Amino acid sequence: MTTPTTTRAPALGGLPLAVRVRPRTRAWRLAVVGIAVAVAACILGIVLGTVTVPVADTLAVLVDHLVPGATSSVSATTDAIVWDLRVPRVLTALVVGTALAVAGATFQGLLRNPLADPYVLGTASGAALGAAIAVLVPVRFAIVGFGLVQVLAFAGALLAVTAVYRLSRIGGLSPLTSLLLTGYAVGSLLAAGLAMAMYLSGAALRTIFGFLLGGFEASSWERLAGVLPLIAIGTVLIAVRARSLNALLLGEESAMHLGVDVRRERTILLALASLVTAAAVTVSGLIGFVGLVVPHVVRLIVGPNARAVIPLSALWGANLMLLSDLVARLLGDVPVGVVTAAIGAPFFLVVLRSARAGYEL
Amino acid sequence: MTAAAIALEGVTVAYGERLVLRDVDLAIGRGELVAVIGPNGAGKSTLLRAATGLVAPAAGRILVDGEPVRGLDRAAVARRIAVVPQVAALPFSARVEEVVALGRVPHEDPIRGPRPSDRAAVAAAIERVGLGHLLGRDARELSQGERQLVLVGVAVAQAAATMLLDEPTIHLDLRHQVQTMELLADLNERDGTTTVAVLHDLALAAAFFPRLVLVADGRVVADGAPAWVLAPERIRDVFGVDPALVRLPAPV
């Protein structure tokens, strides 16, 4: 075999290397801080509220319910406020924040688009429309807590995201722009559908309006139990596919060359992200921007590795939602979507500014 | 006789009605260093995509290490063949070492993630390709030449016996073109990496590759030593240019 006679480039010299290990410690730190914040936010969420309940009474209620055999002299009203209103509300905010952030991280990685999130892509609106239609359908059925609302919300989310994905791939626009524009167009259509559903709703108007407004006022143990398994299972199934999301960093064709069956993984991940989005929407309605903001901030700190980004997004999505709901309550029960939008919309513009058209490597 | 690293047997590939490859026979032996050349639209990139099973042939069959590529799953192919793409785009900022680590995706445990052996392979690839001075840098902010090195680093970390490259020098200035070619030659010589590169620059191909495969209009029209493949009459026929315009290095 002939060898070129030119001198070797200096790059081949084999520099003495102190290969820096990925700062996995940062991920661990972010996790530890995240858990501490989550615990603090949960406690604040249970202690604070429009009705002042002494901390001792709040604790007594929790002990009553969590420690078998314990009984205290707290009044039934206090017990109901703490145990039937505040605790389910806090836990619902926690799982919804998790779901939206995980879905956002998944959509961003899968579609390779830093601006993707369940809200921007129309997934959440699709779920809301599906749920609204379920409210209007006079037939009721429920199998172990999963009713028509969840089924149609999932179908709506899946249809919306599939439509946006397919439509955005045709036409000559850059992938970034076309995804946003198709998301906008499909989202507008879905908003019209929701308006139509409200027009037709009659007595169910309040329920449907609740999907549109977004919030945790209507949280209950029953509703929480209906979505918690979906969100927990969906999140775990997404987290174990981190490898596929990582491979997609270099592009779809490169992901194939890295051993990922892109078509199959895309179908599975779109379905899972739609599932957790739909589950979240059925209990909280439309709450924007959590899915956009959280994965970006996490990536900024720990890098793009999905193995860290997915679980940390889950944790910090829960935190952002808990804190937003807390702020919303302290401002006199404004819709939580107002708080997340106040944080998220400026953030969206910052990401849009920094997202380079080709982001070529 | 050991099986060829990649063998195409009577392969025809069609995109819709258009035949992109017509009845191609090509065997790449283990440890070979081969350049695929030819005019735009000749089917060079499709040849690479067919070799890795990304496009299914309308006729013929493709063997990787003697096994039909259709019978292998993507991860099995990825452990045998690494592909350096022409372009790669990162949607998020990523440090050079994080990008190189993507080469371990086909080897990682899907659930538990990279093992110490994977981390060692990434460190080795970084050293082998000479990326040490780029560690910690955002891969999106590198120069074209540095990006090319990073993408080769991904392929080296992949630790596949065969490396395919789609026009690895297309965006590079002369110095980086030569640097990349030398790196490929070195990987081939010292690590025994079977290398197939699609190239536009005939002089570069002739200087660094002992075997050239000339593709035109979906067919392999010449296959052999540079001096023979790049005979003046063939350059005139295939590329439609005056062969005097193509300055080739003197035969080694």
Side-chain angles (χ1 to χ4, degrees):
Chain A
M1 189 153 292
T2 52
T3 356
T5 48
T6 24
T7 47
R8 295 257 180 255
L12 291 177
L15 299 160
L17 275 186
V19 176
R20 260 178 278 175
V21 187
R22 247 185 63 70
R24 282 187 292 162
T25 43
R26 282 199 194 186
W28 283 112
R29 263 178 227 159
L30 193 63
V32 171
V33 174
I35 289 167
V37 170
V39 170
C42 281
I43 292 171
L44 282 175
I46 295 169
V47 170
L48 297 176
T50 36
V51 180
T52 314
V53 177
V55 178
D57 286 4
T58 309
L59 277 177
V61 172
L62 293 181
V63 169
D64 277 357
H65 287 273
L66 295 176
V67 181
T71 43
S72 65
S73 54
V74 180
S75 76
T77 323
T78 307
D79 184 87
I81 287 172
V82 173
W83 189 253
D84 293 330
L85 295 178
R86 287 187 189 169
V87 175
R89 178 174 184 150
V90 163
L91 294 179
T92 304
L94 190 142
V95 296
V96 166
T98 294
L100 294 180
V102 167
T106 308
F107 285 134
Q108 285 164 16
L110 194 60
L111 305 174
R112 304 172 35 73
N113 191 321
L115 291 167
D117 105 311
Y119 204 62
V120 176
L121 288 176
T123 327
S125 311
L129 182 57
I133 291 170
V135 170
L136 294 180
V137 170
V139 188
R140 288 275 159 269
F141 74 88
I143 307 145
V144 286
F146 305 136
L148 193 61
V149 174
Q150 278 97 341
V151 172
L152 286 191
F154 176 51
L158 203 53
L159 278 175
V161 78
T162 309
V164 170
Y165 174 74
R166 298 248 159 184
L167 291 171
S168 71
R169 297 209 124 195
I170 49 181
L173 293 167
S174 84
L176 196 76
T177 324
S178 69
L179 196 74
L180 291 182
L181 290 177
T182 19
Y184 173 74
V186 171
S188 304
L189 188 66
L190 293 167
L194 260 179
M196 190 67 196
M198 285 165 73
Y199 174 73
L200 294 173
S201 60
L205 180 63
R206 266 189 70 84
T207 316
I208 295 177
F209 192 62
F211 289 132
L212 200 62
L213 202 55
F216 300 105
E217 294 79 17
S219 304
S220 69
W221 284 109
E222 198 188 2
R223 284 157 61 89
L224 178 63
V227 297
L228 179 63
L230 295 179
I231 291 172
I233 292 167
T235 298
V236 169
L237 290 181
I238 288 170
V240 300
R241 310 198 97 75
R243 190 169 154 270
S244 306
L245 289 172
N246 280 343
L248 279 165
L249 275 175
L250 281 175
E252 294 193 355
E253 185 142 334
S254 288
M256 302 271 277
H257 289 313
L258 288 171
V260 171
D261 185 341
V262 169
R263 195 173 303 179
R264 190 192 69 195
E265 293 299 302
R266 188 166 57 214
T267 308
I268 294 172
L269 284 166
L270 277 181
L272 288 170
S274 300
L275 176 74
V276 294
T277 304
V281 167
T282 57
V283 284
S284 71
L286 294 176
I287 300 172
F289 297 111
V290 173
L292 178 82
V293 174
V294 172
H296 276 290
V297 175
V298 168
R299 265 190 226 101
L300 214 58
I301 298 169
V302 303
N305 183 359
R307 276 183 208 291
V309 170
I310 297 289
L312 288 170
S313 293
L315 178 59
W316 281 94
N319 284 344
L320 179 60
M321 195 64 97
L322 284 167
L323 295 172
S324 298
D325 187 47
L326 206 58
V327 171
R329 277 154 62 183
L330 294 177
L331 292 176
D333 252 336
V334 299
V336 67
V338 172
V339 180
T340 59
I343 303 167
F347 190 90
F348 180 91
L349 295 175
V350 171
V351 177
L352 183 62
R353 253 179 80 92
S354 66
R356 280 165 288 181
Y359 37 79
E360 267 187 23
L361 169 66
Chain B
M1 188 190 110
T2 53
I6 296 173
L8 280 71
E9 297 177 353
V11 169
T12 296
V13 172
Y15 290 149
E17 298 271 287
R18 197 165 62 91
L19 289 179
V20 189
L21 292 181
R22 301 159 195 256
D23 195 23
V24 169
D25 285 300
L26 180 67
I28 308 290
R30 287 192 187 153
E32 275 204 277
L33 182 59
V34 180
V36 177
I37 54 173
N40 287 334
K44 304 184 296 294
S45 297
T46 304
L47 193 70
L48 293 193
R49 302 182 83 226
T52 55
L54 240 56
V55 285
R61 61 179 197 149
I62 296 146
L63 303 174
V64 173
D65 295 338
E67 290 180 55
V69 74
R70 296 195 59 179
L72 298 169
D73 65 21
R74 293 289 347 147
V77 175
R79 286 191 288 267
R80 293 156 199 246
I81 304 176
V83 179
V84 178
Q86 208 177 89
V87 285
L90 281 170
F92 316 112
S93 84
R95 285 190 298 276
V96 166
E97 58 272 31
E98 290 169 331
V99 176
V100 175
L102 296 176
R104 299 308 295 174
V105 163
H107 301 275
E108 280 171 18
D109 184 291
I111 309 292
R112 280 180 296 173
R115 285 167 281 228
S117 61
D118 292 310
R119 285 184 236 287
V122 173
I126 286 168
E127 172 136 13
R128 186 74 184 82
V129 179
L131 296 170
H133 61 299
L134 299 177
L135 294 186
R137 297 263 306 273
D138 183 345
R140 303 201 294 183
E141 280 156 17
L142 302 176
S143 73
Q144 292 284 6
E146 291 166 337
R147 287 171 194 181
Q148 191 60 52
L149 281 184
V150 171
L151 291 176
V152 174
V154 175
V156 171
Q158 205 169 327
T162 302
M163 189 186 291
L164 309 184
L165 304 97
D166 196 356
E167 301 190 12
T169 55
I170 192 160
H171 299 297
L172 304 184
D173 63 26
L174 200 55
R175 186 171 81 85
H176 287 102
Q177 287 184 11
V178 172
Q179 187 183 330
T180 305
M181 287 300 117
E182 283 169 346
L183 173 58
L184 296 184
D186 188 67
L187 289 169
N188 173 262
E189 190 187 316
R190 291 206 290 158
D191 302 350
T193 308
T194 309
T195 305
V196 181
V198 167
L199 287 179
H200 263 305
D201 189 320
L202 301 184
L204 214 53
F208 286 94
F209 291 78
R211 177 181 170 194
L212 304 190
V213 173
L214 176 58
V215 179
D217 198 23
R219 295 176 212 276
V220 173
V221 295
D223 180 350
W228 180 76
V229 171
L230 296 176
E233 60 274 20
R234 235 191 304 272
I235 290 179
R236 189 181 294 113
D237 285 355
V238 172
F239 292 94
V241 296
D242 181 355
L245 294 172
V246 183
R247 200 185 300 263
L248 296 174
V252 182

